[in-house]
């Protein structure tokens, strides 16, 4: 069966978001690993002192918050992509609710990371290398791409070729088969 226009756009944006979320998770994982290694080296060098992740080796004061939120947004985005892939393959109204709600939650979490990325760019302090700048750029672009994906799901829902509310033979009795005994109105003990 060929994809309709709304379905093909949603599938393309789904694939694009998957690639972008994987890149975001890779870059954020690298930055978090570097920060954990840096804090572990400080704990080993300063025996007896308790050190927390307040100073990152890359970035500025907004970096720890940005990394935590972008890692969460990446994981929620991948969960959203899983629900979206199921919806695009089925293209029914029953799977539409799960796809839209998970995409909306992932987009809102990505917007939080987007805000911290903007704050990190505004502060301009610290050492922001190419990878961290790329992570900031990807989070900003991903916030817009996730919004486009949500809009494509909504437009596919409203389009003529969108998910059908009821299809013959789906979720009920087969056509032409009568039920024996009729409906029951009460229970017997």
């Amino acid at each position: 069966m060929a994809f309709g226009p709304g379905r093909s756009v949603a599938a393309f944006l789904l694939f694009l978001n998957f690639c972008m979320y994987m890149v975001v998770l890779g870059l954020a994982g690298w930055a978090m690993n570097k920060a954990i290694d840096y804090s572990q080296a400080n704990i080993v060098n300063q025996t007896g002192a308790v050190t927390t992740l307040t100073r990152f080796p890359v970035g500025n004061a907004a970096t720890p918050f940005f990394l935590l939120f972008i890692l969460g947004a990446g994981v929620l985005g991948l969960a959203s992509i899983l629900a979206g892939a199921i919806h695009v393959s089925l293209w029914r109204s029953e799977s539409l609710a799960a796809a839209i709600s998970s995409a909306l939650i992932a987009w809102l979490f990505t917007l939080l990371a987007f805000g911290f990325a903007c704050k990190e760019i505004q502060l301009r302090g610290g050492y922001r290398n190419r990878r961290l700048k790329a992570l900031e750029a990807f989070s900003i672009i991903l916030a817009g791409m996730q919004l486009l994906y949500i809009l494509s799901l909504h437009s596919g829902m409203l389009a003529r070729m969108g998910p059908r509310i009821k299809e013959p033979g789906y979720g009920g009795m087969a056509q032409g088969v009568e039920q024996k005994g009729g409906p029951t109105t009460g229970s017997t003990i």
Side-chain angles (χ1 to χ4, degrees):
M1 184 171 132
F3 281 6
R7 194 173 182 182
S8 60
V9 169
F12 174 71
L13 288 172
L14 192 68
F15 175 72
L16 194 61
N17 282 350
F18 173 75
C19 294
M20 291 182 70
Y21 273 121
M22 290 303 289
V23 169
V24 161
L25 281 175
L27 289 172
W30 164 83
M32 187 61 79
N33 186 37
K34 188 167 180 134
I36 291 171
D37 289 345
Y38 177 79
S39 67
Q40 184 65 31
N42 282 345
I43 291 173
V44 170
N45 291 339
Q46 302 171 358
T47 57
V50 176
T51 307
T52 60
L53 284 176
T54 56
R55 168 115 168 76
F56 272 41
V58 293
N60 50 32
T63 304
F65 304 107
F66 171 62
L67 288 179
L68 288 176
F69 278 103
I70 198 67
L71 280 171
V75 171
L76 286 173
L78 288 180
S80 161
I81 287 169
L82 179 64
I86 291 171
H87 172 64
V88 166
S89 67
L90 295 176
W91 203 248
R92 294 185 182 269
S93 59
E94 292 87 5
S95 62
L96 179 67
I100 287 180
S101 61
S102 63
L104 185 64
I105 291 170
W107 177 62
L108 292 174
F109 216 78
T110 305
L111 280 181
L112 284 172
F114 165 77
F116 282 115
C118 291
K119 186 63 177 177
E120 189 174 28
I121 292 169
Q122 180 198 10
L123 289 178
R124 296 182 192 252
Y127 174 67
R128 291 176 39 234
N129 59 7
R130 292 181 319 197
R131 290 180 185 162
L132 195 58
K133 288 179 182 179
L135 182 60
E136 294 163 356
F138 267 103
S139 69
I140 292 169
I141 294 169
L142 196 54
M145 294 304 295
Q146 187 72 11
L147 177 64
L148 285 177
Y149 171 65
I150 292 171
L151 292 176
S152 75
L153 285 179
H154 278 288
S155 68
M157 176 183 67
L158 299 175
R160 214 173 118 232
M161 300 290 292
R164 295 174 189 90
I165 300 299
K166 290 187 179 180
E167 292 184 2
Y170 178 73
M173 297 185 319
Q175 298 260 337
V177 177
E178 293 184 17
Q179 187 178 12
K180 293 183 182 179
T184 58
T185 57
S187 62
T188 59
I189 297 179

